[in-house]
Amino acid sequence: MKQKKLIGIVFICSLFFIATGKVDATSGGHGFSVTPINKNKNSIRAGYFEIETKPDKQEVLSVKITNGSDNDMKIKVELNNATTNDNGITAYDATTKKDTTLKTGFSDIATIKEDTVLVKKDSSTVVDIKVSTPKEQFDGVILGGLRFSDVETEKKSTKETSAVSNNISYVIGVVLQETPKPIIPKMALNKVGADQRNYRNYISANLQNTEPVIIKELSAHAKVTKKGDTMVLYEASKNKMRMAPNSNFNFGINLENQALIPGKYLMDISGESDGIPYSFTKEFEIQKKEANDLNENSVFIKKENNTWLYVFIILGLIIVIGLIIYLIYRKSKQKRIEEGENVNEE
């Protein structure tokens, strides 16, 4: 029971972060809203679905879409797996690649008759999402999200170049569980290397939650040293992150305005996942071309202006060449003078 409450609290928090930063999109009225419908007792917890199910069973999740605007709206419905973004927050992004440890994702077992629903102005419609659980019993949880967005405003937002968009989307979370068997989180460290986000250079470590369990509180401290040296060159720490089951994300060390330097390095990263400590060390290399390309593309690294250096070099060469020519000419003239004197003496 305690485990369910904790999952619920964390899930509500994750939905809060999904809503943060969204702007209500309207079509001449009040836009649209979504509401989960409780057809099954105890299946809804504070706005999301929590289903205790069994193997090889079909569940139906019903959601009411209300169009409060003055125009008809086409609402896109996506059935997405839970992922973890690079800020350490649970997300439901359809473009995120499925984690290698995720055997059965929500998108594998959920279906909808039509992924675009027409909702008439000032009216409501109910959509049903069918979930067919695997034939074999699964441990832990399957976590997913039902994402609803207005087709027209989403089309417009993809064409906009400004940072602020009028696109709005709602996510209703879905937690599926068959057994109360507790799952212990297990972390893994995958690739480490140079990266760039929003034109800033990073050194990123791909952390992975390999188990079907929500990590409610994750901390990480990373430091980078040159291979064979003990001096810490870069480091970063972050607490109170969360991870979706069987997901991964890139924990980054922001280099601010520092340029990447080619070479071989060591990454040491440690922390706790729900109180369980983890620690990894991994060697990685930054290639010269990679460093040059990322440094050149970064707008935060102060580029050296070598114009005057080139001018001084060219002027120096001109002076040296001129001096050599003058010395040759002077020596030649002197030689001619000496030869002329000898002739007169004869």
Side-chain angles (χ1 to χ4, degrees), residues 130-331:
K130 294 181 180 179
V131 179
S132 301
T133 60
K135 292 181 178 181
E136 295 183 2
Q137 188 178 69
F138 63 85
D139 293 326
V141 299
I142 294 176
L143 183 59
L146 313 175
R147 184 177 182 272
F148 302 83
S149 57
D150 177 19
V151 172
E152 293 304 316
T153 55
E154 190 156 89
K155 282 181 182 177
K156 290 177 183 177
S157 69
T158 57
K159 297 178 182 179
E160 292 178 359
T161 57
S162 61
V164 179
S165 154
N166 68 340
N167 182 36
I168 186 171
S169 64
Y170 295 104
V171 173
I172 296 177
V174 181
V175 183
L176 294 170
Q177 188 172 16
E178 289 184 351
T179 67
K181 178 183 176 181
I183 303 295
I184 298 174
K186 186 177 179 182
M187 298 295 295
L189 174 63
N190 298 319
K191 184 180 177 182
V192 177
D195 190 10
Q196 196 166 85
R197 308 177 194 175
N198 297 323
Y199 302 102
R200 287 188 186 274
N201 286 343
Y202 279 76
I203 292 177
S204 294
N206 185 262
L207 287 173
Q208 185 179 39
N209 173 17
T210 64
E211 300 301 309
V213 61
I214 300 171
I215 295 179
K216 298 172 282 295
E217 188 159 331
L218 176 71
S219 64
H221 175 73
K223 57 183 180 179
V224 173
T225 58
K226 196 83 172 177
K227 186 182 178 182
D229 199 353
T230 58
M231 186 176 74
V232 177
L233 301 174
Y234 318 107
E235 63 181 323
S237 296
K238 194 170 184 179
N239 300 317
K240 299 187 182 303
M241 295 181 288
R242 291 169 300 282
M243 289 195 75
N246 301 106
S247 66
N248 68 86
F249 78 104
N250 295 311
F251 180 81
I253 301 177
N254 189 347
L255 271 60
E256 302 293 344
N257 60 350
Q258 297 182 67
L260 286 163
I261 301 173
K264 292 184 178 181
Y265 297 87
L266 285 179
M267 160 77 78
D268 287 308
I269 186 165
S270 59
E272 291 187 353
S273 56
D274 285 343
I276 300 172
Y278 67 88
S279 179
F280 304 105
T281 299
K282 197 175 189 70
E283 180 182 332
F284 67 100
E285 183 176 4
I286 299 176
Q287 300 287 343
K288 184 177 181 180
K289 185 181 183 306
E290 179 185 27
N292 290 341
D293 290 345
L294 291 174
N295 290 337
E296 186 64 29
N297 196 47
S298 174
V299 298
F300 297 96
I301 296 174
K302 188 177 179 180
K303 307 292 191 303
E304 293 184 6
N305 190 342
N306 295 319
T307 303
W308 284 108
L309 177 61
Y310 296 143
V311 171
F312 285 132
I313 291 173
I314 292 170
L315 286 175
L317 287 172
I318 292 172
I319 291 170
V320 170
I321 293 170
L323 183 61
I324 292 171
I325 293 172
Y326 171 73
L327 291 173
I328 292 172
Y329 170 76
R330 184 178 175 182
K331 188 175 181 181

Side-chain angles (χ1 to χ4, degrees), residues 6-31:
L6 284 172
I7 291 174
I9 292 170
V10 174
F11 204 83
I12 293 168
C13 290
S14 70
L15 292 179
F16 169 78
F17 279 101
I18 293 166
T20 301
K22 298 292 184 181
V23 181
D24 191 3
T26 62
S27 301
H30 300 91

